[in-house]
Amino acid sequence: MTRQGHLPPAPAPGDVAPGHALQWLADGWRLFMKAPVVWAIQAFIVFVILAALGVLPILGWAAAPIALPVLLAGMLSGAQALDRGETLRIDHLFDGIRRHAANLLLVGTFHLLGALLAALVAAAISGSAMLTGMVVGSVPGAGMAAGGVMFGALVFTGLWVLLLMALWFAPALVMLHGVAPLEAMMLSARACFHNLLAFIVLAALLYVLAWVALIPAGLGMLALLPVTAGALYAAWRETFAPQFPALPAPGKSSADAAGASGTNTPAPGPDSD
């Protein structure tokens, strides 16, 4: 897979202050409030699709992780449409399928393979420790087994965080820049390491908000998912858009796109009307 069109080589991600994570969430909320009903419907459709894929026979467990980046890319496309002053439509959710389905499905496949690899490595460490503990026996063996299981869990957590970093900006880079899947994941991980504190702050805030959103029978997730998409869009704009022009919107010429993306002048933030 190659980058779409004739975009310049991918630049280094920009520097971002950790406190900007709060601004990204605020921008995500403002984008949500511009069309809350449409966003909530989109989120509901996402949950229905993922649940339906999850109950498919044999391969249902693998379908949802592969489809997730495609659906997230559609929500990012909707956030970009709102940012450009356009009207958010429900069918923006399926822009990822219409425009970059193959590359986004590859991102989803890498997501699945990365999760499986992390689980296998952690299971191998835990299983080896438990087997050794059984051979040693008695109290030292039990301690060795418990320590191995804990170490396996730590390894899994570390690998999972690395996978999340690789996925953080990948859908936006594929959808909005036309970057090839593997390059997008490498750029995403590089951006997260480059701005590690901002990544940690945003992830922690989203973790807390997720628990809050689950309190009203999970209905808060219909707002949190779009707000998260808007926050990721805002983070993408600050981290990549100043150095890396976005692809033209469908139906726009290259000249129009240059003006819309702010190639020659700084682009307004997601909260601008």
Side-chain angles (χ1 to χ4, degrees):
M1 299 291 176
T2 58
R3 194 195 309 266
Q4 306 291 325
H6 301 283
L7 294 176
D15 293 315
V16 176
H20 286 201
L22 287 170
Q23 184 60 49
W24 296 337
L25 283 173
D27 290 338
W29 176 254
R30 291 189 185 99
L31 287 174
F32 173 73
M33 291 306 295
K34 288 184 177 182
V37 175
V38 178
W39 276 125
I41 293 173
Q42 281 194 5
F44 180 76
I45 293 173
V46 168
F47 291 131
V48 169
I49 291 175
L50 294 179
L53 291 175
V55 298
L56 288 176
I58 303 177
L59 294 179
W61 60 273
I66 292 175
L68 183 60
V70 183
L71 297 171
L72 179 57
M75 299 191 81
L76 291 168
S77 178
Q80 185 182 54
L82 279 176
D83 189 27
R84 287 171 167 168
E86 302 169 11
T87 300
L88 180 66
R89 306 185 313 272
I90 294 175
D91 69 330
H92 272 123
L93 180 62
F94 305 106
D95 278 357
I97 299 173
R98 287 192 288 259
R99 291 160 53 186
H100 299 283
N103 281 352
L104 290 166
L105 286 172
L106 272 177
V107 172
T109 301
F110 290 141
H111 172 205
L112 175 64
L113 293 177
L116 289 176
L117 178 61
L120 286 174
V121 171
I125 293 174
S126 300
S128 176
M130 292 181 67
L131 181 61
T132 304
M134 291 175 62
V135 171
V136 173
S138 190
V139 176
M144 186 178 298
V149 171
M150 292 180 62
F151 181 65
L154 288 175
V155 169
F156 176 80
T157 301
L159 292 175
W160 184 255
V161 169
L162 291 176
L163 181 60
L164 287 180
M165 288 182 174
L167 291 169
W168 202 258
F169 292 109
L173 289 169
V174 172
M175 185 71 187
L176 306 178
H177 288 316
V179 180
L182 189 57
E183 183 185 0
M185 296 183 74
M186 293 174 64
L187 268 174
S188 176
R190 182 180 177 186
C192 290
F193 276 114
H194 193 69
N195 300 290
L196 188 59
L197 286 179
F199 170 83
I200 292 174
V201 170
L202 182 58
L205 289 171
L206 289 175
Y207 179 79
V208 172
L209 289 174
W211 281 103
V212 174
L214 290 173
I215 293 175
L219 294 177
M221 296 301 294
L222 297 179
L224 181 59
L225 181 59
V227 169
T228 301
L232 291 178
Y233 174 77
W236 158 79
R237 284 205 64 151
E238 185 170 356
T239 306
F240 286 101
Q243 304 93 1
F244 200 175
L247 289 176
K252 286 191 176 184
S253 65
S254 298
D256 294 336
S261 62
T263 303
N264 298 319
T265 58
D271 54 333
S272 300
D273 290 324

